[in-house]
Amino acid sequence: SYAALLGVHTSIVQAPLPDQAHAFLERLTPHLERTLRLIHEHARLQDQWSVVKATLDMLDYGALVCDEDGVLLVGNTASAAMLAHGDGLALREDRIFVHDAKVRTRLRALLTSAPSGKEGDGDALKGALLVPRPSGLPAYQIMLRRIEPARSLLGFPQRWLWSVVISDPSAASVPTMRAVAMLYDLTPAETRLATLLVGGATPDEIAAMTHVRISTIRSQLSSLYAKTGTRRQAELVRLFSTVPALRRFGVLIVLCVGTTAI
């Protein structure tokens, strides 16, 4: 908690404050109290945003929020990197820009579409697009969900916003193997085996590339089954793939506004 003190001072050669000055200060005090409450609420929201910001930047896929005009409001590190690279997606005059004209038209139509009246029906996904990339890499996968507008500080309803997730198939996410090792108490050798299995290698290929006997690999695999409660390699990989993939670097939050058309 904290206390705010307001002091009004006059010169030692001046007379005490007149009654009208005291009356003015009494009228002013409620406004000052509201100001202090706003300062406190602003500080609380800043603290909350810092937590959200750090959480968004842990994700290794693009996550951003834009308005109906495609103006980028916030975005995590991964989305900033994708937009900065300009391979099919870019940021032009503060707006998300798609190089492919057909997809750009579809995105604009989706962002400006009227709500269906069933936005709260539990169907979170409102649109999905493939964005071709001039580099020849697999198309970006974009999924969109409409965010119901909340009322602003002044009580006026805000515009509809869109939550956008961007996945890059050429940089397929893999689970954070350190987390896998911690969750299932894996040894370093078992962690290495799990990492290679998730990457698509077979036990024979792993034995060859690591110069470890196949019998040892099979023994480690049996230990993985026992620790994870699985019975088959496909089941094991599917379990490990449910562990979130986290980024290892950088923090960048983009805050933009603008008025240019998509």
Side-chain angles (χ1 to χ4, degrees), residues 108-176:
R108 181 178 177 83
L110 180 61
L111 293 178
T112 57
S113 62
S116 64
K118 300 179 180 180
E119 299 298 326
D121 61 2
D123 181 14
L125 186 64
K126 297 302 176 184
L129 300 168
L130 289 177
V131 178
R133 302 167 69 178
S135 66
L137 292 173
Y140 283 127
Q141 302 165 344
I142 297 184
M143 289 160 284
L144 302 97
R145 179 182 182 180
R146 196 190 302 270
I147 303 174
E148 184 175 355
R151 289 193 172 273
S152 68
L153 183 64
L154 299 178
F156 300 106
Q158 299 175 342
R159 305 181 67 187
W160 285 92
L161 301 179
W162 287 90
S163 174
V164 184
V165 173
I166 309 173
S167 176
D168 181 2
S170 66
S173 299
V174 296
T176 303

Side-chain angles (χ1 to χ4, degrees), residues 73-108:
L73 302 177
V74 295
N76 66 350
T77 300
S79 66
M82 294 174 182
L83 294 170
H85 193 266
D87 187 14
L89 285 173
L91 193 64
R92 290 189 178 180
E93 297 181 337
D94 304 331
R95 294 176 180 274
I96 302 170
F97 179 80
V98 177
H99 290 279
D100 186 277
K102 291 183 179 179
V103 179
R104 184 166 66 248
T105 300
R106 290 174 57 198
L107 177 61
R108 181 178 177 83

Side-chain angles (χ1 to χ4, degrees), residues 189-204:
E190 291 168 348
T191 302
R192 180 178 64 176
L193 174 58
T195 302
L196 295 172
L197 289 172
V198 171
T202 66
D204 288 337

